Amino acid sequence: MSEPPSEEAKQRKILHIDADSFYASVEMRERPELRGKPIAVGGQSDRRGVIATSSYEARKFGVRSAMASSRAMALCPQLIIVAPRMDLYRAVSRQFHQIFRDYTDLIEPLSLDEAFLDVSDCTRCSGSATLMAQEILARVRDELHLTVSAGVAPNKFLAKVASDWNKPNGVFTVPPEDIAQFVRDLPVSKINGVGRVTAENLRKLGVITCADLQAVPMEKLLRHFGKYGKRLSEVARGIDHRPVQSSRVRKSISVEHTYAEDIVELSAMLVAMDGIVAELQRRFDKIEEKYFPTKRVVKIKYRDFSQTTLEETIGSSGEDWCDPAQYRRLLAAAWPRGEKPVRLLGAGLRLQPIKHKEGQQMLLV
Ligand code: TTP
């Protein structure tokens, strides 16, 4: 009997989805008067601000992410710079993920607007990953009035490169039989992790494309790049076994308080809840860049140690996660379940992680 295929040998179907000029597109969707104009999201030029991203119209003038806003204004004097609204972008990101979850639970976010999806086991679209990608693009356009681009390939490395190939609003697929040809002319600078320094070191060895890299003997790569040399040699041939990792480092954050004396009145509990939520907000602020909240949770432990929790999904509008009024409302709904004096109250958020790209500059407000 033949062995079942190992995880590595199994042909995977990976999508890499990346929104087009994300923050700028969201702003143009929200403010129609900005559409078709060169706009950027970032800090103002007179306050030494930096550009987070720009619309495609602004890019024609050379306006780029991480550029000083003063330089962007010099390149494009009619540029409209708008302040970032992270809560709004997070809400949109959750909406992206709601669509993605119709195809797979194996989702690895890299940032708010970018994620890998392993759709190997998805049966929609007759199992065609390219059709799934096209359907996702259409749904994002129709339901969210935004555009994303997608790369479809048997692994993460190729899918990520491919999503840039037909940007904006396009799908590019690298089927297994095209891998050799696809990587041949690919500049090594496109390999995730090959920054300016590594690219320069490779250039000194005469390596510009993946084909050049394939020609370098392994022992030479190991000598120059240590363990990373092995990975370089693999990706140069289009091989990448890294799984899509949806595992969450932290699933929730919560604050609980046990009271020296039980609280009897609901009105007093509501006041106490405000203090707990303020602390939750303080703690969440510290990890805000790594996670976005999906649900609010309230926990009550009654005098007799029985307990109850009530959670609710956070809407996708740009609302305040730690809004005390929302927690009060949840508490008022949950308390009558026991209707007894309370010894402990808790408030929490269920979280989803956001991974940031290597070297990506964080925002900048
Ligand atoms: P990217 O996906 O790099 O770029 P983008 O979505 O703006 O444009 P493209 O169509 O070329 O993919 O970044 C996603 C968001 O991350 C971007 O909209 C703003 C933010 N960002 C920063 O805040 N600082 C930066 O230096 C970069 C590169 C991005």
Side-chain angles (χ1 to χ4, degrees):
M1 243 176 48
S2 63
E3 293 267 308
S6 72
E7 268 311 300
E8 291 197 351
K10 193 178 137 204
Q11 193 66 253
R12 293 181 299 153
K13 297 174 197 168
I14 310 294
L15 309 186
H16 176 258
I17 308 215
D18 185 16
D20 303 321
S21 59
F22 182 48
Y23 299 176
S25 303
V26 173
E27 293 299 336
M28 288 189 288
R29 180 189 77 174
E30 300 296 304
R31 297 169 56 182
E33 74 276 12
L34 297 177
R35 289 182 201 157
K37 300 208 172 125
I39 78 146
V41 177
Q44 292 302 325
S45 55
D46 55 357
R47 291 203 229 137
R48 302 223 258 157
V50 177
I51 301 297
T53 194
S54 51
S55 66
Y56 285 87
E57 290 80 2
R59 290 181 197 191
K60 288 183 198 144
F61 294 85
V63 175
R64 297 278 179 267
S65 298
M67 177 181 271
S69 300
S70 52
R71 171 148 169 72
M73 289 303 294
L75 288 169
C76 178
Q78 68 273 44
L79 184 70
I80 302 166
I81 300 182
V82 301
R85 294 187 282 175
M86 293 308 289
D87 285 357
L88 175 59
Y89 312 145
R90 283 196 197 95
V92 173
S93 184
R94 276 208 309 280
Q95 292 175 318
F96 285 149
H97 282 246
Q98 260 163 25
I99 294 178
F100 299 163
R101 275 194 289 274
D102 283 345
Y103 300 83
T104 180
D105 286 329
L106 262 180
I107 301 170
E108 179 179 336
L110 296 175
S111 64
L112 286 179
D113 79 322
E114 199 184 333
F116 286 115
L117 281 63
D118 185 330
V119 294
S120 310
D121 295 327
C122 178
T123 53
R124 290 176 75 125
C125 305
S126 316
S128 159
T130 302
L131 291 181
M132 290 180 219
Q134 282 165 353
E135 200 174 273
I136 290 172
L137 258 68
R139 287 186 59 185
V140 168
R141 189 191 58 222
D142 297 345
E143 295 171 27
L144 307 181
H145 309 290
L146 291 169
T147 65
V148 295
S149 296
V152 184
N155 63 50
K156 294 206 300 192
F157 161 58
L158 294 169
K160 185 160 164 76
V161 175
S163 68
D164 249 1
W165 242 235
N166 254 336
K167 230 177 195 312
N169 194 25
V171 174
F172 190 89
T173 302
V174 185
E177 61 274 18
D178 290 358
I179 293 176
Q181 198 198 341
F182 183 78
V183 290
R184 207 177 46 211
D185 299 326
L186 194 69
V188 285
S189 56
K190 294 278 181 191
I191 299 173
N192 213 4
V194 173
R196 221 165 29 84
V197 175
T198 309
E200 179 53 25
N201 287 337
L202 283 166
R203 199 193 55 78
K204 285 184 194 149
L205 299 178
V207 172
I208 305 290
T209 65
C210 286
D212 301 333
L213 186 51
Q214 286 171 17
V216 182
M218 177 66 95
E219 56 79 23
K220 193 167 177 186
L221 286 177
L222 290 174
R223 198 165 63 240
H224 283 270
F225 302 99
K227 266 200 286 186
Y228 187 54
K230 179 164 182 285
R231 172 154 168 80
L232 279 175
S233 151
E234 283 182 353
V235 289
R237 287 176 285 136
I239 298 167
D240 179 11
H241 296 305
R242 290 172 307 159
V244 171
Q245 283 178 314
S246 60
S247 65
R248 291 159 198 189
V249 185
R250 191 189 240 285
K251 291 199 171 113
S252 63
I253 181 167
S254 61
V255 176
E256 294 183 354
H257 193 83
T258 305
Y259 297 94
E261 283 185 31
D262 295 347
I263 309 179
V264 181
E265 297 292 337
L266 177 61
S267 56
M269 294 171 204
L270 296 176
V271 173
M273 182 51 88
D274 281 2
I276 293 175
V277 172
E279 171 66 10
L280 179 67
Q281 170 89 64
R282 209 179 55 75
R283 287 202 207 158
F284 179 65
D285 283 350
K286 291 190 193 150
I287 57 162
E288 193 191 12
E289 282 172 351
K290 293 199 209 123
Y291 297 93
F292 61 78
T294 54
K295 284 181 175 174
R296 290 190 190 88
V297 189
V298 157
K299 176 172 165 185
I300 302 170
K301 204 179 263 184
Y302 297 99
R303 171 177 281 167
D304 61 2
F305 285 89
S306 64
Q307 66 175 56
T308 187
T309 59
L310 182 60
E311 30 182 88
E312 85 175 354
T313 302
I314 295 175
S316 45
S317 56
E319 57 182 290
D320 179 4
W321 326 115
C322 297
D323 183 355
Q326 303 289 348
Y327 279 96
R328 266 184 252 133
R329 189 175 47 72
L330 279 180
L331 175 59
W335 180 69
R337 291 171 173 176
E339 223 177 348
K340 283 171 277 201
V342 155
R343 53 179 285 113
L344 173 150
L345 288 174
L349 288 165
R350 300 238 180 271
L351 302 173
Q352 207 161 345
I354 305 165
K355 287 189 199 159
H356 289 282
K357 290 179 211 172
E358 264 185 65
Q360 173 165 314
Q361 193 195 329
M362 297 305 309
L363 218 109
L364 5 138
V365 199

